[in-house]
Amino acid sequence: MHFRRRILVTGGAGFLGSHLCERLVALGHDVLCADNFFTGTKDNVVGLLDQPNFELLRHDVTFPLYVEVDEIYNLACPASPIHYQHDPVQTTKTSVHGAINMLGLAKRTGARIFQASTSEVYGDPQVHPQTEDYWGHVNPVGERSCYDEGKRCAETLFFDYHRQHHLQVKVARIFNTYGPNMHPNDGRVVSNFIMQALRGDPITIFGDGSQTRSFCFVDDLVDGFLALMDSGDEVTGPVNLGNPNEFTITELAEKILSMTHSKSKLITSPLPSDDPLQRQPDISKAKALLNWEPRVQLEEGLGKTIEYFQRMC
Ligand code: NAD
Ligand code: UDP
């Protein structure tokens, strides 16, 4: 980073957005955080509110926004299945109308624009690990479709604005990421299991627990965001960002139980529909183009996350 930039972060009061805002403020940039507080909270950015180079705006990205900025990180969108399925029409609107509004803003201001896309664009993948040239295996009419197809359409819009209007776009496909500032009721697996273990409640394994995910610690991911935004104009993505170390959900539960010294029992319930059976990023592209790879291994990252939730309990 060589000069002070005006940077908009949509969804900036959420889990990932709050870490990104913190990093950008520390680097000395002027940061405007826009959020409708659907799943994010002011608490996540309360430590930044007295910084002169940080501003918090209540705004829903499905409506246009008129501000002057040099860069946009478009993160606004609920990421946890229970939250994005709560109002699926709004989820699609957030991804699609939100992308159109933010791309329009980028077009008017000439800003570089980053899109927080997702491994969900691969659906329940038939290629393993997932490479960026895999087009995916996605149900267009299921309960996860509002999120998966919304994000796929947003990617289409980003690349059409790039081809048609020559916007500088940066599309990251983010794989499961965890860390402090996840909401205790977020509903995703890492926060659920840690909260259940700390409270001594049963650990809810969906399905038989043999499905896999690859978990990335948030600090590594934010490094990847900055590396992608700062890459040359020719690097548009999509680029996978995630930690390739893959675990079954049962392995994750057992690790969390042992790290928290919890006596919680494991219980099972049916696997939600269209829940992907395996997921692991191929990050060769990120390594080659961005010189990026994750450094924090699961145990270290879980340790920091458990500490965070212990302070909350
Ligand atoms: P999160 O739910 O904690 O944060 C999302 C933020 O967006 C929240 O602060 C929420 O209030 C805000 N938001 C939602 N709808 C909005 C709207 N219409 N207008 C303005 N703000 C709105 O989730 P997160 O994990 O921080 O995810 C951030 C982004 O990264 C999302 O776009 C998500 O799809 C993407 N992503 C995250 C992961 C992950 O593992 N964390 C994986 C893949 C993709
Ligand atoms: N999961 C689980 N118990 C929970 C929450 C999630 O077994 O309490 C499983 C879920 O079915 C999925 C995996 O953990 O197979 C990851 O779920 P999450 O919602 O974190 O993310 P995503 O499915 O979007 O990757």
Side-chain angles (χ1 to χ4, degrees):
M1 301 263 179
H2 303 298
F3 61 95
R4 186 179 178 131
R5 284 172 257 174
R6 298 165 301 175
I7 304 180
L8 168 65
V9 179
T10 75
F15 161 50
L16 296 180
S18 58
H19 285 272
L20 177 63
C21 286
E22 199 176 312
R23 193 77 78 84
L24 293 171
V25 166
L27 286 167
H29 297 298
D30 274 324
V31 177
L32 173 59
C33 166
D35 202 296
N36 71 350
F37 303 119
F38 175 53
T39 50
T41 77
K42 251 190 207 175
D43 292 344
N44 281 339
V45 289
V46 76
L48 299 175
L49 289 175
D50 60 356
Q51 300 284 326
N53 56 335
F54 180 77
E55 198 178 343
L56 178 60
L57 175 71
R58 183 187 290 269
H59 177 76
D60 186 320
V61 294
T62 61
F63 296 94
L65 179 63
Y66 294 90
V67 290
E68 304 307 315
V69 286
D70 306 305
E71 288 179 358
I72 302 167
Y73 286 87
N74 187 36
L75 272 59
C77 186
S80 163
I82 56 164
H83 295 299
Y84 70 64
Q85 289 170 17
H86 170 75
D87 185 350
V89 173
Q90 174 67 10
T91 299
T92 302
K93 281 187 186 171
T94 293
S95 281
V96 178
H97 293 184
I100 291 170
N101 288 328
M102 292 308 115
L103 286 160
L105 175 63
K107 187 177 159 208
R108 182 178 63 76
T109 55
R112 273 190 166 200
I113 181 164
F114 171 104
Q115 168 66 357
S117 191
T118 169
S119 53
E120 290 283 323
V121 301
Y122 302 123
D124 190 5
Q126 292 165 319
V127 165
H128 194 77
Q130 291 79 56
T131 44
E132 290 86 349
D133 56 6
Y134 175 49
W135 291 352
H137 179 228
V138 179
N139 177 358
V141 294
E143 286 173 5
R144 292 176 88 102
S145 312
C146 59
Y147 184 76
D148 301 9
E149 297 290 19
K151 289 284 188 179
R152 285 168 68 95
C153 183
E155 286 201 9
T156 305
L157 285 160
F158 268 69
F159 284 93
D160 282 336
Y161 269 79
H162 172 65
R163 283 184 289 260
Q164 196 175 333
H165 299 299
H166 312 292
L167 256 60
Q168 290 179 35
V169 301
K170 306 280 175 185
V171 177
R173 290 186 179 153
I174 304 163
F175 284 64
N176 298 66
T177 301
Y178 67 97
N181 293 7
M182 289 187 98
H183 196 279
N185 298 327
D186 178 87
R188 279 176 282 183
V189 68
V190 174
S191 47
N192 269 12
F193 285 3
I194 294 178
M195 289 306 294
Q196 290 162 347
L198 293 177
R199 290 177 172 149
D201 291 342
I203 306 283
T204 52
I205 304 232
F206 300 161
D208 64 6
S210 65
Q211 71 271 33
T212 67
R213 295 293 187 271
S214 308
F215 298 101
C216 185
F217 188 63
V218 60
D219 291 355
D220 281 335
L221 190 79
V222 171
D223 288 341
F225 284 10
L226 300 184
L228 180 56
M229 186 61 111
D230 289 344
S231 60
D233 290 355
E234 71 289 355
V235 181
T236 56
V239 182
N240 289 339
L241 294 179
N243 189 321
N245 289 341
E246 186 182 6
F247 298 87
T248 67
I249 293 306
T250 303
E251 283 170 341
L252 176 73
E254 282 164 354
K255 206 170 255 299
I256 289 175
L257 279 179
S258 108
M259 289 180 73
T260 52
H261 310 290
S262 169
K263 297 202 165 33
S264 290
K265 301 265 174 301
L266 302 186
I267 57 165
T268 56
S269 60
L271 193 66
S273 66
D274 297 328
D275 197 293
L277 291 180
Q278 52 179 4
R279 187 182 285 156
Q280 183 190 33
D282 180 317
I283 60 164
S284 323
K285 202 169 162 185
K287 278 186 188 167
L289 294 177
L290 311 177
N291 193 24
W292 173 87
E293 65 182 309
R295 284 177 296 199
V296 180
Q297 292 315 317
L298 186 63
E299 201 140 307
E300 183 187 348
L302 282 180
K304 292 181 181 170
T305 314
I306 291 168
E307 245 177 68
Y308 169 78
F309 283 114
Q310 272 166 337
R311 282 199 304 272
M312 292 192 87
C313 281

